[in-house]
Amino acid sequence: MIQSTIRIAIPFQKRTEALKIINSIAEQCRDVPGCLSCHFYGDLREKDVLMLTEVWKTEEELNLHLRSEEYRNLLLVLEMSLKRPEVRFDTISSSTGIETIEKARIQ
């Protein structure tokens, strides 16, 4: 699995436009084969910061998404950023759930 994280600071005057574009991308992304999750957040402390996270099943499916027209629109939003956007791609080799907490708390 690959997790994509994008964190951008959008100027107030561009926020409505950016929200509309990113929300549309997030909604479409959820229906794309290989997309395991897609979430869009606003930072509560830094009001101008938005974050988009996606988890993809394979690198190939992620690459198809990166070449899509929808992703091109996201790149346009990145150009609106007040400062250099934070963009990360992390490979996830395994994942656990609440059982990890339960196991740690038992010890």
Side-chain angles (χ1 to χ4, degrees):
M1 290 186 293
I2 299 100
Q3 178 172 311
S4 164
T5 306
I6 297 175
R7 188 174 186 274
I8 53 177
I10 298 293
F12 178 77
Q13 64 273 22
K14 300 272 187 177
R15 190 169 176 86
T16 301
E17 180 183 0
L19 287 169
K20 184 177 176 182
I21 293 169
I22 296 173
N23 191 51
S24 174
I25 291 165
E27 286 180 15
Q28 292 175 22
C29 184
R30 291 181 185 110
D31 294 330
V32 174
C35 179
L36 301 177
S37 69
C38 184
H39 300 282
F40 177 39
Y41 306 97
D43 194 305
L44 294 176
R45 291 190 182 170
E46 297 179 71
K47 299 294 184 194
D48 58 346
V49 172
L50 302 173
M51 185 148 75
L52 178 67
T53 63
E54 304 169 343
V55 177
W56 292 87
K57 190 174 182 179
T58 68
E59 186 174 355
E60 294 77 24
E61 289 161 321
L62 169 63
N63 287 338
L64 284 173
H65 174 60
L66 296 178
R67 291 190 295 264
S68 71
E69 188 65 24
E70 291 81 20
Y71 204 84
R72 187 185 72 76
N73 291 334
L74 180 59
L75 295 176
L76 296 174
V77 172
L78 268 59
E79 291 179 9
M80 296 178 194
S81 189
L82 292 167
K83 55 186 176 184
R84 185 181 176 117
E86 296 174 31
V87 179
R88 292 179 50 124
F89 295 94
D90 299 304
T91 301
I92 302 169
S93 60
S94 67
S95 181
T96 63
I98 198 164
E99 63 274 6
T100 300
I101 299 169
E102 293 167 343
K103 182 179 175 185
R105 305 250 337 142
I106 289 173
Q107 298 176 359

Short mmCIF file of all heavy atoms in Angstrom, two decimals, residues 34-83:
data_model
loop_
_atom_site.label_atom_id
_atom_site.label_comp_id
_atom_site.label_asym_id
_atom_site.label_seq_id
_atom_site.Cartn_x
_atom_site.Cartn_y
_atom_site.Cartn_z
N GLY A 34 -8.52 0.63 -6.81
CA GLY A 34 -7.22 0.70 -6.17
C GLY A 34 -7.14 1.72 -5.06
O GLY A 34 -6.22 1.69 -4.24
N CYS A 35 -8.10 2.65 -5.00
CA CYS A 35 -8.12 3.64 -3.92
C CYS A 35 -8.78 3.00 -2.70
O CYS A 35 -9.96 2.67 -2.72
CB CYS A 35 -8.88 4.89 -4.33
SG CYS A 35 -8.95 6.13 -3.00
N LEU A 36 -8.00 2.80 -1.65
CA LEU A 36 -8.52 2.18 -0.43
C LEU A 36 -9.16 3.21 0.49
O LEU A 36 -10.08 2.88 1.24
CB LEU A 36 -7.40 1.44 0.29
CG LEU A 36 -6.73 0.33 -0.52
CD1 LEU A 36 -5.59 -0.29 0.26
CD2 LEU A 36 -7.75 -0.73 -0.94
N SER A 37 -8.64 4.45 0.46
CA SER A 37 -9.27 5.52 1.24
C SER A 37 -8.80 6.86 0.71
O SER A 37 -7.74 6.98 0.10
CB SER A 37 -8.94 5.40 2.73
OG SER A 37 -7.57 5.68 2.97
N CYS A 38 -9.64 7.86 0.94
CA CYS A 38 -9.32 9.22 0.53
C CYS A 38 -10.03 10.15 1.51
O CYS A 38 -11.24 10.08 1.67
CB CYS A 38 -9.79 9.47 -0.90
SG CYS A 38 -9.34 11.09 -1.50
N HIS A 39 -9.26 11.02 2.18
CA HIS A 39 -9.82 11.92 3.18
C HIS A 39 -9.26 13.33 2.99
O HIS A 39 -8.09 13.50 2.68
CB HIS A 39 -9.52 11.42 4.59
CG HIS A 39 -10.08 10.07 4.86
ND1 HIS A 39 -11.40 9.85 5.14
CD2 HIS A 39 -9.50 8.86 4.84
CE1 HIS A 39 -11.60 8.55 5.31
NE2 HIS A 39 -10.46 7.93 5.12
N PHE A 40 -10.11 14.30 3.26
CA PHE A 40 -9.80 15.70 3.07
C PHE A 40 -10.05 16.41 4.40
O PHE A 40 -11.12 16.29 4.97
CB PHE A 40 -10.69 16.23 1.95
CG PHE A 40 -10.57 17.68 1.66
CD1 PHE A 40 -9.37 18.34 1.69
CD2 PHE A 40 -11.71 18.40 1.32
CE1 PHE A 40 -9.29 19.69 1.40
CE2 PHE A 40 -11.65 19.73 1.01
CZ PHE A 40 -10.42 20.38 1.06
N TYR A 41 -9.04 17.14 4.90
CA TYR A 41 -9.12 17.75 6.22
C TYR A 41 -8.73 19.23 6.17
O TYR A 41 -7.94 19.64 5.34
CB TYR A 41 -8.13 17.09 7.20
CG TYR A 41 -8.25 15.61 7.32
CD1 TYR A 41 -7.43 14.76 6.59
CD2 TYR A 41 -9.18 15.04 8.19
CE1 TYR A 41 -7.52 13.39 6.72
CE2 TYR A 41 -9.27 13.67 8.32
CZ TYR A 41 -8.45 12.84 7.58
OH TYR A 41 -8.54 11.49 7.71
N GLY A 42 -9.23 19.97 7.14
CA GLY A 42 -8.77 21.33 7.40
C GLY A 42 -8.09 21.34 8.76
O GLY A 42 -8.57 20.69 9.70
N ASP A 43 -6.98 22.04 8.88
CA ASP A 43 -6.25 22.13 10.14
C ASP A 43 -6.99 23.09 11.09
O ASP A 43 -7.33 24.20 10.70
CB ASP A 43 -4.83 22.63 9.88
CG ASP A 43 -3.91 22.44 11.07
OD1 ASP A 43 -4.25 22.94 12.17
OD2 ASP A 43 -2.85 21.81 10.90
N LEU A 44 -7.24 22.67 12.32
CA LEU A 44 -7.98 23.50 13.27
C LEU A 44 -7.13 24.64 13.81
O LEU A 44 -7.65 25.68 14.20
CB LEU A 44 -8.50 22.65 14.43
CG LEU A 44 -9.55 21.61 14.06
CD1 LEU A 44 -9.92 20.75 15.27
CD2 LEU A 44 -10.79 22.29 13.50
N ARG A 45 -5.82 24.46 13.87
CA ARG A 45 -4.93 25.50 14.40
C ARG A 45 -4.46 26.47 13.33
O ARG A 45 -4.33 27.65 13.58
CB ARG A 45 -3.72 24.87 15.07
CG ARG A 45 -4.10 24.16 16.33
CD ARG A 45 -2.90 23.75 17.10
NE ARG A 45 -3.32 23.03 18.29
CZ ARG A 45 -2.52 22.39 19.08
NH1 ARG A 45 -1.24 22.36 18.81
NH2 ARG A 45 -2.98 21.77 20.13
N GLU A 46 -4.17 25.94 12.16
CA GLU A 46 -3.72 26.78 11.05
C GLU A 46 -4.85 26.84 10.04
O GLU A 46 -5.00 25.96 9.20
CB GLU A 46 -2.46 26.20 10.42
CG GLU A 46 -1.26 26.16 11.35
CD GLU A 46 -0.05 25.56 10.67
OE1 GLU A 46 0.52 26.22 9.77
OE2 GLU A 46 0.31 24.42 11.03
N LYS A 47 -5.66 27.87 10.13
CA LYS A 47 -6.90 27.97 9.35
C LYS A 47 -6.69 27.94 7.84
O LYS A 47 -7.58 27.58 7.09
CB LYS A 47 -7.66 29.24 9.73
CG LYS A 47 -8.07 29.29 11.19
CD LYS A 47 -9.07 28.23 11.52
CE LYS A 47 -9.53 28.38 12.95
NZ LYS A 47 -10.23 27.24 13.46
N ASP A 48 -5.48 28.29 7.38
CA ASP A 48 -5.24 28.30 5.93
C ASP A 48 -4.71 26.97 5.40
O ASP A 48 -4.51 26.82 4.21
CB ASP A 48 -4.28 29.43 5.56
CG ASP A 48 -2.93 29.33 6.26
OD1 ASP A 48 -2.80 28.56 7.23
OD2 ASP A 48 -1.99 30.04 5.82
N VAL A 49 -4.54 25.97 6.29
CA VAL A 49 -3.94 24.70 5.89
C VAL A 49 -5.01 23.64 5.60
O VAL A 49 -5.92 23.43 6.39
CB VAL A 49 -2.96 24.19 6.96
CG1 VAL A 49 -2.47 22.77 6.64
CG2 VAL A 49 -1.76 25.13 7.07
N LEU A 50 -4.86 22.99 4.45
CA LEU A 50 -5.72 21.88 4.03
C LEU A 50 -4.85 20.65 3.83
O LEU A 50 -3.68 20.76 3.47
CB LEU A 50 -6.44 22.21 2.73
CG LEU A 50 -7.32 23.46 2.72
CD1 LEU A 50 -7.82 23.75 1.32
CD2 LEU A 50 -8.46 23.32 3.70
N MET A 51 -5.41 19.46 4.06
CA MET A 51 -4.65 18.24 3.89
C MET A 51 -5.52 17.18 3.20
O MET A 51 -6.69 17.00 3.52
CB MET A 51 -4.21 17.70 5.24
CG MET A 51 -3.32 16.51 5.08
SD MET A 51 -2.10 16.31 6.28
CE MET A 51 -2.61 15.80 7.70
N LEU A 52 -4.90 16.52 2.23
CA LEU A 52 -5.54 15.44 1.49
C LEU A 52 -4.70 14.19 1.69
O LEU A 52 -3.49 14.20 1.45
CB LEU A 52 -5.63 15.78 0.00
CG LEU A 52 -6.24 14.71 -0.91
CD1 LEU A 52 -7.72 14.52 -0.60
CD2 LEU A 52 -6.05 15.09 -2.37
N THR A 53 -5.32 13.11 2.17
CA THR A 53 -4.62 11.84 2.31
C THR A 53 -5.33 10.78 1.48
O THR A 53 -6.56 10.74 1.44
CB THR A 53 -4.54 11.35 3.78
OG1 THR A 53 -5.85 11.10 4.27
CG2 THR A 53 -3.85 12.36 4.66
N GLU A 54 -4.55 9.96 0.82
CA GLU A 54 -5.08 8.85 0.00
C GLU A 54 -4.25 7.61 0.30
O GLU A 54 -3.05 7.72 0.54
CB GLU A 54 -4.95 9.16 -1.48
CG GLU A 54 -5.59 10.43 -1.94
CD GLU A 54 -5.20 10.81 -3.36
OE1 GLU A 54 -4.19 10.29 -3.89
OE2 GLU A 54 -5.90 11.64 -3.93
N VAL A 55 -4.89 6.46 0.28
CA VAL A 55 -4.17 5.19 0.41
C VAL A 55 -4.52 4.37 -0.83
O VAL A 55 -5.69 4.18 -1.16
CB VAL A 55 -4.54 4.42 1.70
CG1 VAL A 55 -3.83 3.08 1.74
CG2 VAL A 55 -4.21 5.25 2.93
N TRP A 56 -3.46 3.89 -1.50
CA TRP A 56 -3.60 3.14 -2.74
C TRP A 56 -3.10 1.72 -2.56
O TRP A 56 -2.11 1.48 -1.87
CB TRP A 56 -2.84 3.84 -3.87
CG TRP A 56 -3.50 5.13 -4.20
CD1 TRP A 56 -3.29 6.34 -3.62
CD2 TRP A 56 -4.55 5.31 -5.14
NE1 TRP A 56 -4.14 7.27 -4.14
CE2 TRP A 56 -4.92 6.67 -5.08
CE3 TRP A 56 -5.21 4.46 -6.02
CZ2 TRP A 56 -5.93 7.20 -5.88
CZ3 TRP A 56 -6.20 5.00 -6.82
CH2 TRP A 56 -6.56 6.34 -6.74
N LYS A 57 -3.81 0.79 -3.18
CA LYS A 57 -3.49 -0.63 -3.07
C LYS A 57 -2.13 -0.95 -3.67
O LYS A 57 -1.34 -1.68 -3.08
CB LYS A 57 -4.59 -1.45 -3.75
CG LYS A 57 -4.51 -2.93 -3.51
CD LYS A 57 -5.74 -3.61 -4.11
CE LYS A 57 -5.71 -5.09 -3.85
NZ LYS A 57 -6.92 -5.74 -4.39
N THR A 58 -1.85 -0.40 -4.85
CA THR A 58 -0.58 -0.69 -5.53
C THR A 58 0.03 0.59 -6.09
O THR A 58 -0.66 1.59 -6.30
CB THR A 58 -0.76 -1.67 -6.71
OG1 THR A 58 -1.51 -1.02 -7.74
CG2 THR A 58 -1.43 -2.96 -6.28
N GLU A 59 1.32 0.53 -6.36
CA GLU A 59 2.01 1.66 -6.97
C GLU A 59 1.48 1.93 -8.37
O GLU A 59 1.37 3.08 -8.79
CB GLU A 59 3.51 1.37 -7.01
CG GLU A 59 4.33 2.54 -7.49
CD GLU A 59 5.83 2.30 -7.41
OE1 GLU A 59 6.26 1.25 -6.88
OE2 GLU A 59 6.57 3.17 -7.90
N GLU A 60 1.13 0.87 -9.10
CA GLU A 60 0.60 1.03 -10.45
C GLU A 60 -0.71 1.81 -10.44
O GLU A 60 -0.93 2.70 -11.28
CB GLU A 60 0.40 -0.33 -11.12
CG GLU A 60 1.67 -1.11 -11.40
CD GLU A 60 2.27 -1.78 -10.15
OE1 GLU A 60 1.53 -2.05 -9.17
OE2 GLU A 60 3.49 -2.00 -10.14
N GLU A 61 -1.59 1.49 -9.50
CA GLU A 61 -2.87 2.21 -9.41
C GLU A 61 -2.66 3.66 -8.97
O GLU A 61 -3.31 4.57 -9.49
CB GLU A 61 -3.81 1.47 -8.46
CG GLU A 61 -4.29 0.16 -9.08
CD GLU A 61 -4.84 -0.83 -8.07
OE1 GLU A 61 -4.29 -0.96 -6.96
OE2 GLU A 61 -5.84 -1.49 -8.42
N LEU A 62 -1.71 3.88 -8.08
CA LEU A 62 -1.36 5.25 -7.69
C LEU A 62 -0.84 6.02 -8.91
O LEU A 62 -1.25 7.16 -9.15
CB LEU A 62 -0.31 5.25 -6.58
CG LEU A 62 0.32 6.61 -6.28
CD1 LEU A 62 -0.71 7.61 -5.78
CD2 LEU A 62 1.46 6.46 -5.29
N ASN A 63 0.05 5.42 -9.68
CA ASN A 63 0.61 6.09 -10.84
C ASN A 63 -0.45 6.46 -11.87
O ASN A 63 -0.39 7.52 -12.48
CB ASN A 63 1.71 5.23 -11.49
CG ASN A 63 2.97 5.22 -10.66
OD1 ASN A 63 3.21 6.11 -9.84
ND2 ASN A 63 3.77 4.19 -10.83
N LEU A 64 -1.44 5.59 -12.06
CA LEU A 64 -2.55 5.93 -12.96
C LEU A 64 -3.28 7.17 -12.45
O LEU A 64 -3.63 8.07 -13.22
CB LEU A 64 -3.53 4.76 -13.08
CG LEU A 64 -3.10 3.59 -13.95
CD1 LEU A 64 -4.10 2.44 -13.82
CD2 LEU A 64 -3.00 4.03 -15.41
N HIS A 65 -3.49 7.22 -11.16
CA HIS A 65 -4.15 8.37 -10.54
C HIS A 65 -3.30 9.64 -10.72
O HIS A 65 -3.83 10.70 -11.05
CB HIS A 65 -4.38 8.08 -9.06
CG HIS A 65 -4.91 9.23 -8.27
ND1 HIS A 65 -6.11 9.83 -8.56
CD2 HIS A 65 -4.40 9.89 -7.20
CE1 HIS A 65 -6.33 10.81 -7.69
NE2 HIS A 65 -5.30 10.87 -6.87
N LEU A 66 -2.00 9.53 -10.53
CA LEU A 66 -1.10 10.69 -10.66
C LEU A 66 -1.10 11.26 -12.08
O LEU A 66 -0.83 12.44 -12.27
CB LEU A 66 0.32 10.32 -10.24
CG LEU A 66 0.52 9.93 -8.77
CD1 LEU A 66 1.97 9.53 -8.53
CD2 LEU A 66 0.09 11.04 -7.84
N ARG A 67 -1.41 10.42 -13.05
CA ARG A 67 -1.45 10.86 -14.45
C ARG A 67 -2.85 11.31 -14.89
O ARG A 67 -3.03 11.73 -16.03
CB ARG A 67 -0.96 9.73 -15.37
CG ARG A 67 0.53 9.44 -15.23
CD ARG A 67 1.03 8.50 -16.31
NE ARG A 67 0.46 7.18 -16.22
CZ ARG A 67 1.02 6.13 -15.63
NH1 ARG A 67 2.19 6.26 -15.04
NH2 ARG A 67 0.42 4.97 -15.62
N SER A 68 -3.82 11.25 -14.00
CA SER A 68 -5.21 11.56 -14.36
C SER A 68 -5.46 13.06 -14.47
O SER A 68 -4.70 13.89 -13.96
CB SER A 68 -6.17 10.97 -13.32
OG SER A 68 -6.07 11.70 -12.11
N GLU A 69 -6.54 13.39 -15.14
CA GLU A 69 -6.98 14.78 -15.28
C GLU A 69 -7.35 15.37 -13.91
O GLU A 69 -7.08 16.54 -13.63
CB GLU A 69 -8.17 14.86 -16.24
CG GLU A 69 -8.58 16.25 -16.61
CD GLU A 69 -7.53 17.01 -17.41
OE1 GLU A 69 -6.68 16.39 -18.07
OE2 GLU A 69 -7.56 18.26 -17.36
N GLU A 70 -7.96 14.55 -13.05
CA GLU A 70 -8.33 15.02 -11.72
C GLU A 70 -7.09 15.44 -10.93
O GLU A 70 -7.09 16.45 -10.24
CB GLU A 70 -9.09 13.93 -10.93
CG GLU A 70 -10.46 13.62 -11.46
CD GLU A 70 -10.44 12.68 -12.67
OE1 GLU A 70 -9.44 11.97 -12.87
OE2 GLU A 70 -11.42 12.68 -13.42
N TYR A 71 -6.03 14.65 -11.06
CA TYR A 71 -4.80 14.98 -10.33
C TYR A 71 -4.16 16.24 -10.89
O TYR A 71 -3.56 17.02 -10.16
CB TYR A 71 -3.81 13.81 -10.34
CG TYR A 71 -2.85 13.88 -9.17
CD1 TYR A 71 -3.21 13.37 -7.94
CD2 TYR A 71 -1.61 14.48 -9.31
CE1 TYR A 71 -2.35 13.46 -6.85
CE2 TYR A 71 -0.74 14.57 -8.24
CZ TYR A 71 -1.12 14.05 -7.01
OH TYR A 71 -0.27 14.15 -5.94
N ARG A 72 -4.31 16.47 -12.18
CA ARG A 72 -3.81 17.71 -12.78
C ARG A 72 -4.48 18.91 -12.11
O ARG A 72 -3.85 19.92 -11.82
CB ARG A 72 -4.04 17.73 -14.28
CG ARG A 72 -3.39 18.94 -14.97
CD ARG A 72 -3.73 19.01 -16.45
NE ARG A 72 -5.11 19.41 -16.70
CZ ARG A 72 -5.58 20.66 -16.58
NH1 ARG A 72 -4.80 21.62 -16.20
NH2 ARG A 72 -6.84 20.92 -16.84
N ASN A 73 -5.77 18.78 -11.82
CA ASN A 73 -6.49 19.84 -11.12
C ASN A 73 -5.92 20.06 -9.72
O ASN A 73 -5.84 21.19 -9.24
CB ASN A 73 -7.98 19.54 -11.06
CG ASN A 73 -8.64 19.61 -12.41
OD1 ASN A 73 -8.17 20.31 -13.31
ND2 ASN A 73 -9.72 18.88 -12.58
N LEU A 74 -5.54 18.97 -9.07
CA LEU A 74 -4.93 19.09 -7.74
C LEU A 74 -3.60 19.84 -7.84
O LEU A 74 -3.27 20.66 -6.98
CB LEU A 74 -4.73 17.71 -7.12
CG LEU A 74 -4.09 17.70 -5.73
CD1 LEU A 74 -4.90 18.50 -4.73
CD2 LEU A 74 -3.91 16.27 -5.25
N LEU A 75 -2.84 19.57 -8.88
CA LEU A 75 -1.56 20.28 -9.08
C LEU A 75 -1.79 21.78 -9.24
O LEU A 75 -0.98 22.59 -8.77
CB LEU A 75 -0.81 19.71 -10.28
CG LEU A 75 -0.35 18.26 -10.14
CD1 LEU A 75 0.29 17.79 -11.44
CD2 LEU A 75 0.60 18.09 -8.97
N LEU A 76 -2.91 22.15 -9.85
CA LEU A 76 -3.26 23.58 -9.97
C LEU A 76 -3.51 24.19 -8.59
O LEU A 76 -3.14 25.34 -8.34
CB LEU A 76 -4.47 23.76 -10.87
CG LEU A 76 -4.29 23.35 -12.34
CD1 LEU A 76 -5.61 23.45 -13.09
CD2 LEU A 76 -3.22 24.21 -13.00
N VAL A 77 -4.14 23.43 -7.70
CA VAL A 77 -4.37 23.91 -6.33
C VAL A 77 -3.03 24.06 -5.60
O VAL A 77 -2.83 25.04 -4.87
CB VAL A 77 -5.32 22.96 -5.56
CG1 VAL A 77 -5.41 23.36 -4.09
CG2 VAL A 77 -6.69 22.95 -6.19
N LEU A 78 -2.12 23.13 -5.81
CA LEU A 78 -0.81 23.23 -5.17
C LEU A 78 -0.11 24.53 -5.56
O LEU A 78 0.62 25.11 -4.76
CB LEU A 78 0.06 22.03 -5.52
CG LEU A 78 0.01 20.85 -4.55
CD1 LEU A 78 -1.37 20.28 -4.40
CD2 LEU A 78 0.98 19.78 -4.97
N GLU A 79 -0.34 24.98 -6.77
CA GLU A 79 0.26 26.23 -7.22
C GLU A 79 -0.31 27.45 -6.50
O GLU A 79 0.31 28.50 -6.47
CB GLU A 79 0.10 26.38 -8.74
CG GLU A 79 0.92 25.39 -9.52
CD GLU A 79 0.73 25.52 -11.03
OE1 GLU A 79 0.10 26.49 -11.49
OE2 GLU A 79 1.24 24.64 -11.74
N MET A 80 -1.48 27.30 -5.88
CA MET A 80 -2.09 28.40 -5.11
C MET A 80 -1.46 28.56 -3.73
O MET A 80 -1.67 29.56 -3.05
CB MET A 80 -3.59 28.13 -4.89
CG MET A 80 -4.44 28.08 -6.10
SD MET A 80 -6.14 27.69 -5.55
CE MET A 80 -6.89 27.27 -7.10
N SER A 81 -0.70 27.58 -3.29
CA SER A 81 -0.20 27.54 -1.92
C SER A 81 0.65 28.76 -1.57
O SER A 81 1.43 29.26 -2.39
CB SER A 81 0.62 26.25 -1.73
OG SER A 81 0.94 26.09 -0.36
N LEU A 82 0.50 29.20 -0.32
CA LEU A 82 1.27 30.33 0.20
C LEU A 82 2.75 30.01 0.34
O LEU A 82 3.60 30.89 0.28
CB LEU A 82 0.72 30.76 1.57
CG LEU A 82 -0.67 31.38 1.57
CD1 LEU A 82 -1.22 31.47 2.98
CD2 LEU A 82 -0.62 32.76 0.92
N LYS A 83 3.03 28.74 0.59
CA LYS A 83 4.41 28.28 0.72
C LYS A 83 4.51 26.91 0.06
O LYS A 83 3.49 26.34 -0.34
CB LYS A 83 4.85 28.21 2.18
CG LYS A 83 3.95 27.37 3.06
CD LYS A 83 4.35 27.48 4.51
CE LYS A 83 3.37 26.70 5.38
NZ LYS A 83 3.65 26.85 6.78
#
